[in-house]
Amino acid sequence: MRKVLLPSLIIVAALLLVIRIFYLQFIDDSFKLKSDNNAIKIKYDYPERGYIYDRNGKLLVANQASYDIMVIPRDVKKIDTTEFCQLLAITKEDFLKRMAKAKIYSPRLPSVFLPQLNKSEFAAFQEKIRKFEGFYFQKRSLRDYEVDFGANVFGFITQVNEKLVAKNPYYNSGDLIGRQGVEESYEDILRGIKGVKYFQKDKYNREIGSYKEGRYDTVAVQGEDINLTIDAELQKFGEQLMINKRGGIVAIEPKTGEILALVTAPSYDPSILVGRQRSKNYTVLYRDSIAKPLYDRGLLAEYPPGSPFKILTGLVGLQEGVVNEKTTYSCYGGFSYGRGRFQKCHCKIFGSVQLHNGIFRSCNAYFSNVYLRTIGKYAKPAYAVDVWSNHIKSFGLGQFMGYDLPTGKKGNIPNSKTYKKVYPNGGWRGTTIISNAIGQGEVLMTPIQLANMMATVANEGYYYTPHIIKKIEGHKIDKKFTTKHVTTIDKKYYQPMISGLFDVYNQGTAFALRVDGIDICGKTGTAENFAKINGVRTKMEDHSIFVAFAPKDNPKIAIAILVENGGYGAAIAGPIASLMIEKYLRKKITRTDLETRVLETSLQGRYAKLGGLSEAVKLQLRIQDSIKNKKKVVVPIIKVDTTQEN
């Protein structure tokens, strides 16, 4: 048996090897194509990216033709570099740097020498391209923005880096890819499928025809069009209102979780990141560490929510049974919670406070008492805080929300582990962490979380994961965006809270912000704000916060506004909320007094205390001024100070 086994194994192995060699040589040419074969030239046909529309079918992002000058370093012969550089408006030094970079990538493979030429630039070069052996052009499709807003929503297109080329076989050097916004989130759908053509070459490196009669050629497939949930007019209006301010606006349709507006300020005209000046302009935006125009404050900025958090404090107190609608506390300008410890209050009630007037007057004393009762309900504060924390987290807080945008922060909702780290020896109790009651302390939320919180209250206890995709032709929307999330608070407790929020506009802190004919439920808020100036922790103007939904019955929009250094909630954020709500529901503005006031308010003086205006800020001010005055801005070539720190 042993004498037979060894020869048999050798024979079987030899047969398998012969069969494999025959298959590779006579049947399967794929390995031959993948190799760097001198006799075959590969050309790619790049498809148009899918178009982007708003929820109403308005075209937001289309495409325009662009041309990359490609180079195969090994094929470059003696050329007139002076003429070459003059045609493409580059320096001799720039030419040498680009050639060196191309050689490092590969002497025999094509790479981008000069990207994104427009039609006129390309036409001048095309006439004389025959004189420059080793160079050829590759037609591509760049974005053509039909609007001058929504940059943070769209994202931008840029060249792939070498790491991605090595990791993902679909991409080659010089290919374009979506970054940030929906361009990144839906890259696989928007990019389409590029076509490939193989050409036979002779010994003189000349094309002599299609390889294998085009057997392996493929046709480019255009990217799929997508409809966003964004309302273009609302988005544009929101960005206008935030001119000369910093902060974020997020509006959501409560019944679906669809994002109606996602505003960050300052922003920028998306068209400045298209074309040959894209890299320079991006560098200026990226280096602006003061205003941070590339930083989406609606998704990334974590702030203490301030008084809007009292909504949750009250709901948890009702659910835990420690208070009811009639439970009464007294307020005399604040809340004393220990020897020498006094929490000020600006509600101006000075007397008995119940849930209803506590919410529309925003009484710190009332909600601090509710919070202490909630924590004091259980024998151990650690257990009580976890109960409270779980209720709060059921609103989607303190965690990544799962929306379809590539960036975000989870905020912070503290629990017992938080305080065990802060107080390892114990000794903490409800009064120690009383600031949580009014949205200060360790509580942090992003504007989109605040908007989702209000959508949940509007729905009386449930929400859908916020999302920005509405429709993709031929595709189904991810099931997670149609899955209902229910909070731990019983539905019966929402109506008393909604009644108080309604009277915020009727007799409370937002009385002056009413819009006739629209029943709005809202809540003002301020959050303390500190900054380091010359190394000293300095108290700055409070952040202005406002959350709302409307109409009161069958709500169509929930919204959160946060304006950095804006002062009281009713000062800046509140008027913006009223204006945005009326714009969405009526498509026009009747409170023109509020509109004028907001548009004419500039907070640049307050921001200047944190540092001078950078080149990027100046550029944004020009762009925003053009939006405000409905003029087309001419974006200059931006000079970059390369010594500036990131």
Side-chain angles (χ1 to χ4, degrees):
M1 183 65 181
R2 292 181 180 177
K3 292 181 180 180
V4 176
L5 180 60
L6 185 59
S8 298
L9 289 173
I10 294 172
I11 293 170
V12 170
L15 283 172
L16 290 174
L17 185 60
V18 170
I19 292 170
R20 182 61 177 164
I21 292 172
F22 176 82
Y23 176 77
L24 292 175
Q25 286 190 346
F26 297 99
I27 299 176
D28 185 8
D29 285 334
S30 62
F31 282 88
K32 186 187 280 187
L33 291 173
K34 290 179 181 177
S35 67
D36 187 17
N37 195 314
N38 292 332
I40 300 173
K41 182 177 182 179
I42 300 175
K43 286 186 177 180
Y44 293 102
D45 183 14
Y46 288 89
E48 283 195 65
R49 287 180 76 86
Y51 284 27
I52 300 176
Y53 299 85
D54 85 336
R55 67 187 295 108
N56 301 311
K58 177 182 173 64
L59 179 61
L60 304 175
V61 185
N63 298 303
Q64 58 181 304
S66 175
Y67 304 87
D68 290 349
I69 303 301
M70 309 293 291
V71 64
I72 302 175
R74 189 187 65 173
D75 296 344
V76 176
K77 307 303 179 184
K78 290 183 178 180
I79 64 172
D80 186 340
T81 54
T82 301
E83 182 182 14
F84 184 92
C85 292
Q86 287 176 346
L87 280 171
L88 295 176
I90 62 174
T91 64
K92 183 73 174 290
E93 182 184 7
D94 199 18
F95 173 88
L96 295 174
K97 285 182 179 179
R98 292 175 185 273
M99 282 299 297
K101 184 177 180 181
K103 288 177 182 177
I104 291 172
Y105 172 71
S106 173
R108 296 187 296 172
L109 293 177
S111 60
V112 176
F113 180 83
L114 191 64
Q116 301 184 11
L117 273 67
N118 60 34
K119 288 182 179 179
S120 60
E121 292 170 329
F122 166 70
F125 183 76
Q126 186 185 29
E127 290 181 5
K128 299 186 178 182
I129 194 170
R130 67 185 183 281
K131 299 171 64 175
F132 308 114
E133 192 174 352
F135 290 91
Y136 68 95
F137 68 87
Q138 175 73 65
K139 185 177 180 180
R140 297 186 191 273
S141 176
L142 295 183
R143 281 316 204 184
D144 184 16
Y145 294 98
E146 307 301 307
V147 296
D148 53 8
F149 54 85
N152 63 308
V153 174
F154 306 138
F156 54 87
I157 306 299
T158 187
Q159 286 188 23
V160 294
N161 56 41
E162 293 180 9
K163 286 185 179 180
L164 185 59
V165 171
K167 182 179 178 182
N168 191 328
Y170 176 84
Y171 297 101
N172 297 303
S173 177
D175 282 4
L176 301 177
I177 190 172
R179 288 293 184 217
Q180 298 185 10
V182 296
E183 294 282 17
E184 180 173 335
S185 294
Y186 292 96
E187 162 70 9
D188 292 349
I189 288 171
L190 288 168
R191 76 185 180 192
I193 303 173
K194 61 188 174 187
V196 185
K197 291 183 179 180
Y198 300 92
F199 295 91
Q200 190 82 34
K201 297 188 295 184
D202 63 14
K203 63 181 181 180
Y204 299 107
N205 203 34
R206 297 174 301 192
E207 291 182 16
I208 58 176
S210 179
Y211 177 74
K212 294 280 187 178
E213 298 180 344
R215 183 189 305 173
Y216 301 102
D217 293 355
T218 58
V219 179
V221 179
Q222 183 172 347
E224 301 283 352
D225 297 341
I226 64 174
N227 284 76
L228 304 182
T229 59
I230 292 293
D231 182 297
E233 292 304 311
L234 188 67
Q235 178 76 23
K236 178 181 180 181
F237 187 54
E239 293 195 19
Q240 289 174 337
L241 296 175
M242 290 296 289
I243 290 173
N244 292 323
K245 306 167 189 71
R246 295 178 190 169
I249 302 174
V250 183
I252 295 174
E253 184 178 69
K255 292 294 189 291
T256 62
E258 294 178 355
I259 300 173
L260 303 173
L262 180 62
V263 175
T264 183
S267 187
Y268 58 93
D269 184 338
S271 66
I272 70 173
L273 295 186
V274 177
R276 291 178 65 180
Q277 298 303 320
R278 190 207 77 82
S279 180
K280 290 182 179 180
N281 290 342
Y282 179 82
T283 300
V284 171
L285 297 176
Y286 178 79
R287 288 179 179 275
D288 184 356
S289 59
I290 302 171
K292 301 179 181 178
L294 293 174
Y295 181 73
D296 193 328
R297 286 169 164 85
L299 304 177
L300 291 168
E302 298 170 298
Y303 305 95
S307 290
F309 196 78
K310 295 171 184 175
I311 298 169
L312 300 187
T313 300
L315 288 172
V316 173
L318 292 171
Q319 180 66 36
E320 286 297 307
V322 296
V323 293
N324 58 42
E325 293 177 60
K326 303 299 181 183
T327 302
T328 303
Y329 295 106
S330 296
C331 178
Y332 298 100
F335 175 61
S336 179
Y337 58 97
R339 184 178 297 177
R341 296 181 178 181
F342 188 76
Q343 187 183 77
K344 291 183 179 180
C345 184
H346 304 285
C347 70
K348 299 179 182 179
I349 294 178
F350 293 97
S352 299
V353 188
Q354 296 178 339
L355 176 66
H356 187 76
N357 62 345
I359 196 70
F360 75 71
R361 292 292 187 188
S362 195
C363 180
N364 287 347
Y366 177 84
F367 289 99
S368 293
N369 273 295
V370 172
Y371 182 75
L372 285 183
R373 280 207 176 184
T374 301
I375 302 303
K377 177 182 176 180
Y378 300 96
K380 295 183 178 180
Y383 180 79
V385 165
D386 285 339
V387 170
W388 169 84
S389 181
N390 290 335
H391 282 308
I392 303 297
K393 288 178 179 178
S394 73
F395 286 78
L397 307 181
Q399 57 199 294
F400 292 110
M401 302 188 70
Y403 46 70
D404 53 341
L405 286 162
T407 190
K409 290 288 184 69
K410 63 181 182 178
N412 186 57
I413 300 299
N415 56 20
S416 61
K417 291 181 180 179
T418 306
Y419 297 112
K420 285 176 182 177
K421 289 180 180 179
V422 177
Y423 303 100
N425 298 322
W428 61 275
R429 56 185 63 83
T431 53
T432 311
I433 55 176
I434 192 68
S435 294
N436 290 336
I438 57 173
Q440 299 283 342
E442 287 69 45
V443 177
L444 294 173
M445 292 170 64
T446 60
I448 194 171
Q449 289 177 325
L450 276 166
N452 189 63
M453 178 192 80
M454 287 307 283
T456 308
V457 175
N459 290 335
E460 298 182 43
Y462 72 87
Y463 69 91
Y464 291 97
T465 299
H467 54 283
I468 206 160
I469 193 71
K470 188 170 182 67
K471 183 176 70 174
I472 307 172
E473 201 66 42
H475 296 267
K476 288 186 177 180
I477 302 301
D478 195 319
K479 187 171 64 175
K480 72 178 182 179
F481 299 134
T482 57
T483 301
K484 182 185 288 189
H485 303 276
V486 181
T487 71
T488 57
I489 309 299
D490 294 342
K491 182 178 179 179
K492 63 183 178 181
Y493 295 123
Y494 285 91
Q495 273 304 320
M497 183 60 66
I498 289 172
S499 177
L501 294 172
F502 180 55
D503 277 343
V504 168
Y505 268 86
N506 291 320
Q507 50 183 317
T509 52
F511 178 78
L513 308 178
R514 292 172 298 162
V515 179
D516 289 343
I518 301 179
D519 292 336
I520 306 177
C521 299
K523 183 73 190 73
T524 53
T526 56
E528 288 187 341
N529 173 36
F530 294 86
K532 275 193 175 182
I533 300 179
N534 298 323
V536 180
R537 187 172 185 264
T538 306
K539 176 75 167 66
M540 304 295 291
E541 193 77 32
D542 292 339
H543 294 324
S544 178
I545 305 171
F546 201 93
V547 295
F549 64 82
K552 177 176 177 286
D553 301 318
N554 192 23
K556 299 292 193 302
I557 180 174
I559 193 166
I561 297 96
L562 192 144
V563 180
E564 294 181 4
N565 306 92
Y568 288 115
I572 302 276
I576 292 175
S578 295
L579 291 166
M580 291 285 284
I581 287 171
E582 185 178 22
K583 182 71 171 179
Y584 182 67
L585 296 179
R586 289 179 172 167
K587 312 302 179 187
K588 63 179 182 179
I589 296 297
T590 61
R591 288 298 307 267
T592 54
D593 58 320
L594 291 182
E595 183 180 27
T596 301
R597 176 174 133 199
V598 172
L599 289 175
E600 293 180 352
T601 297
S602 173
L603 302 181
Q604 292 298 342
R606 297 178 187 179
Y607 302 141
K609 295 177 182 179
L610 300 174
L613 297 182
S614 66
E615 288 298 316
V617 175
K618 294 174 185 176
L619 174 61
Q620 300 324 306
L621 291 176
R622 288 195 57 218
I623 293 171
Q624 291 170 345
D625 183 63
S626 74
I627 296 172
K628 179 179 177 181
N629 296 302
K630 300 180 180 179
K631 295 186 297 186
K632 185 68 178 177
V633 66
V634 178
V635 180
I637 297 175
I638 306 167
K639 294 183 179 180
V640 181
D641 178 9
T642 56
T643 63
Q644 186 176 349
E645 294 182 1
N646 291 344

